[in-house]
C-alpha cells in the first residue's frame, strides 16, 4: 500500500515539475508597474509583498503569509547568480551531509507550518510536500552540482505554491456550499436552467393539448372552448361513415 501511495505522489510531483513557473515565481514578493502622476505607465516596476487573497480566512491568511516568508528566505533571499536565485538553503547545503540534514529540517518546518491551516492538509497533499523535500535532500547530497540543482528545484517554493492553490480551492468550495445552504431555491433554479440548456427533454403535452392542436386548458376555459368549436366544425364537414357495430345496453 505504501509503495502505491509513493508511486502516486511521485507522479504528481513530476507533473508539478513540468508545470510552467511553479518553482520560479517569487512566493513572497511581486513586481507591479509604476505609474506617473498623469496615470501613464513609466515602464518601471517595483517589488512589493504579495497580498493575501481576500477569500481566505484570517487564520489561513496568516499561515500562508508565514509559509511564503519562510520559502523566500530559504530559496531566494540572498543573491542572484547566472539567473539563478540562491537562498539560505543552498548556502547551508554547501556543508557536506550536515548542511543537507539541517536544510531538510528547515524544509520540514515549512511543511509543519503548512499543516497548521484550519482543518489541516489532506493526506495526499502532505505526501507531495514530503516527497518534494526528500527529493531536494537527495539532490543536495551530490557535492556542488547538487547544491546548484537544489537552488533550481526549490522545494520550499513549490510547497508554498501548493499550499496557496489548495487554500484558494478550499475557500471557493466552502463559499459555494454556504451560498447553496443560504439560498437553496436560487441554486435549484440555476441547476434547472443548466439542465434545459443541456438539451433535457421537454415535458410531455397533455391529451387535450395534442388533440386540439396544442391549445391547453386555461383557468377560464377559453382555450378549451375554442378548441371544441374548431373540432365541431371539422366534424360537420366530414362525411358520415359507418365504423362498426353499435351495441346498446
Amino acid at each position: 500500500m505504501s509503495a502505491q501511495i509513493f508511486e502516486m505522489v511521485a507522479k504528481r510531483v513530476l507533473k508539478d515539475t513540468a508545470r510552467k513557473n511553479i518553482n520560479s515565481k517569487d512566493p513572497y514578493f511581486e513586481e507591479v508597474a509604476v505609474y506617473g502622476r498623469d496615470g501613464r505607465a513609466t515602464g518601471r516596476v517595483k517589488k512589493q509583498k504579495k497580498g493575501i487573497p481576500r477569500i481566505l480566512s484570517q487564520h489561513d491568511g496568516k499561515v500562508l503569509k508565514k509559509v511564503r516568508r519562510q520559502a523566500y528566505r530559504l530559496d531566494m533571499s540572498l543573491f542572484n547568480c547566472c539567473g539563478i536565485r540562491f537562498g539560505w538553503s543552498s548556502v547551508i547545503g554547501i556543508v557536506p551531509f550536515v548542511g543537507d540534514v539541517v536544510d531538510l529540517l528547515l524544509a520540514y518546518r515549512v511543511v509543519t507550518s503548512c499543516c497548521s491551516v484550519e482543518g489541516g492538509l489532506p493526506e495526499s497533499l502532505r505526501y507531495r510536500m514530503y516527497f518534494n523535500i526528500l527529493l531536494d535532500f537527495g539532490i543536495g547530497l551530490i557535492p556542488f552540482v547538487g547544491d546548484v540543482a537544489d537552488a533550481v528545484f526549490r522545494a520550499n517554493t513549490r510547497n508554498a505554491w501548493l499550499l496557496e492553490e489548495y487554500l484558494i480551492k478550499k475557500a471557493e468550495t466552502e463559499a459555494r456550499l454556504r451560498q447553496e445552504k443560504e439560498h437553496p431555491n436560487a441554486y435549484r433554479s440555476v441547476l434547472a436552467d443548466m439542465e434545459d440548456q443541456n438539451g433535457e427533454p421537454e415535458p410531455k403535452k397533455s391529451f387535450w393539448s395534442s388533440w386540439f392542436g396544442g391549445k391547453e386548458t386555461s383557468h377560464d376555459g377559453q382555450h378549451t372552448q375554442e378548441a371544441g368549436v374548431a373540432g365541431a366544425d371539422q366534424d360537420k364537414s366530414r362525411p358520415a361513415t359507418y365504423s362498426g357495430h353499435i351495441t346498446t345496453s
Side-chain angles (χ1 to χ4, degrees):
M1 182 64 181
S2 59
Q4 294 177 351
I5 295 177
F6 182 83
E7 183 180 358
M8 178 187 67
V9 172
K11 290 181 179 179
R12 295 298 297 272
V13 171
L14 292 175
K15 183 179 179 181
D16 290 339
T17 305
R19 289 171 57 185
K20 184 179 180 180
N21 294 332
I22 189 175
N23 65 330
S24 62
K25 289 183 179 179
D26 192 324
Y28 194 52
F29 290 99
E30 63 181 349
E31 293 183 347
V32 295
V34 177
Y35 293 88
R37 294 181 179 180
D38 56 354
R40 297 181 180 180
T42 60
R44 294 179 294 134
V45 294
K46 66 177 181 179
K47 292 182 68 173
Q48 68 179 23
K49 294 179 182 179
K50 293 185 62 179
I52 302 298
R54 295 182 179 179
I55 195 173
L56 302 186
S57 66
Q58 184 177 3
H59 175 76
D60 287 350
K62 290 181 178 179
V63 173
L64 178 60
K65 184 177 181 179
K66 178 181 178 181
V67 171
R68 284 176 174 176
R69 183 172 59 250
Q70 291 175 332
Y72 174 78
R73 289 175 178 174
L74 291 173
D75 290 347
M76 299 184 175
S77 62
L78 294 182
F79 57 91
N80 189 323
C81 180
C82 301
I84 302 175
R85 299 275 297 277
F86 290 85
W88 286 106
S89 178
S90 302
V91 174
I92 294 173
I94 294 177
V95 182
F97 188 72
V98 177
D100 296 317
V101 173
V102 173
D103 182 29
L104 177 63
L105 295 176
L106 292 174
Y108 177 78
R109 184 184 175 187
V110 176
V111 177
T112 303
S113 298
C114 294
C115 294
S116 64
V117 297
E118 294 177 353
L121 293 179
E123 192 176 46
S124 59
L125 183 57
R126 288 203 315 271
Y127 284 155
R128 290 169 67 183
M129 292 183 175
Y130 289 144
F131 187 87
N132 279 336
I133 63 177
L134 288 175
L135 182 60
D136 185 68
F137 172 73
I139 294 173
L141 291 176
I142 305 173
F144 185 71
V145 177
D147 297 324
V148 176
D150 183 22
V152 174
F153 184 71
R154 295 179 183 135
N156 303 292
T157 301
R158 291 174 184 270
N159 290 341
W161 281 108
L162 287 175
L163 175 67
E164 182 172 350
E165 183 182 45
Y166 165 74
L167 290 179
I168 292 176
K169 288 183 178 179
K170 185 186 75 167
E172 289 176 347
T173 301
E174 292 176 350
R176 185 175 68 252
L177 293 176
R178 185 166 55 252
Q179 185 177 7
E180 294 172 7
K181 186 177 180 180
E182 294 176 353
H183 307 284
N185 295 331
Y187 180 69
R188 290 170 186 169
S189 64
V190 172
L191 287 180
D193 294 340
M194 293 175 61
E195 290 179 356
D196 293 340
Q197 293 177 1
N198 291 335
E200 292 292 332
E202 296 180 356
K204 294 183 179 180
K205 296 181 179 180
S206 64
F207 170 77
W208 296 111
S209 175
S210 60
W211 180 261
F212 294 120
K215 295 183 178 180
E216 296 185 358
T217 304
S218 61
H219 292 291
D220 57 3
Q222 182 178 0
H223 289 171
T224 305
Q225 184 177 1
E226 292 176 359
V229 173
D233 294 339
Q234 292 178 0
D235 291 340
K236 290 180 181 180
S237 61
R238 294 175 184 172
T241 57
Y242 177 74
S243 59
H245 297 284
I246 299 177
T247 58
T248 60
S249 57

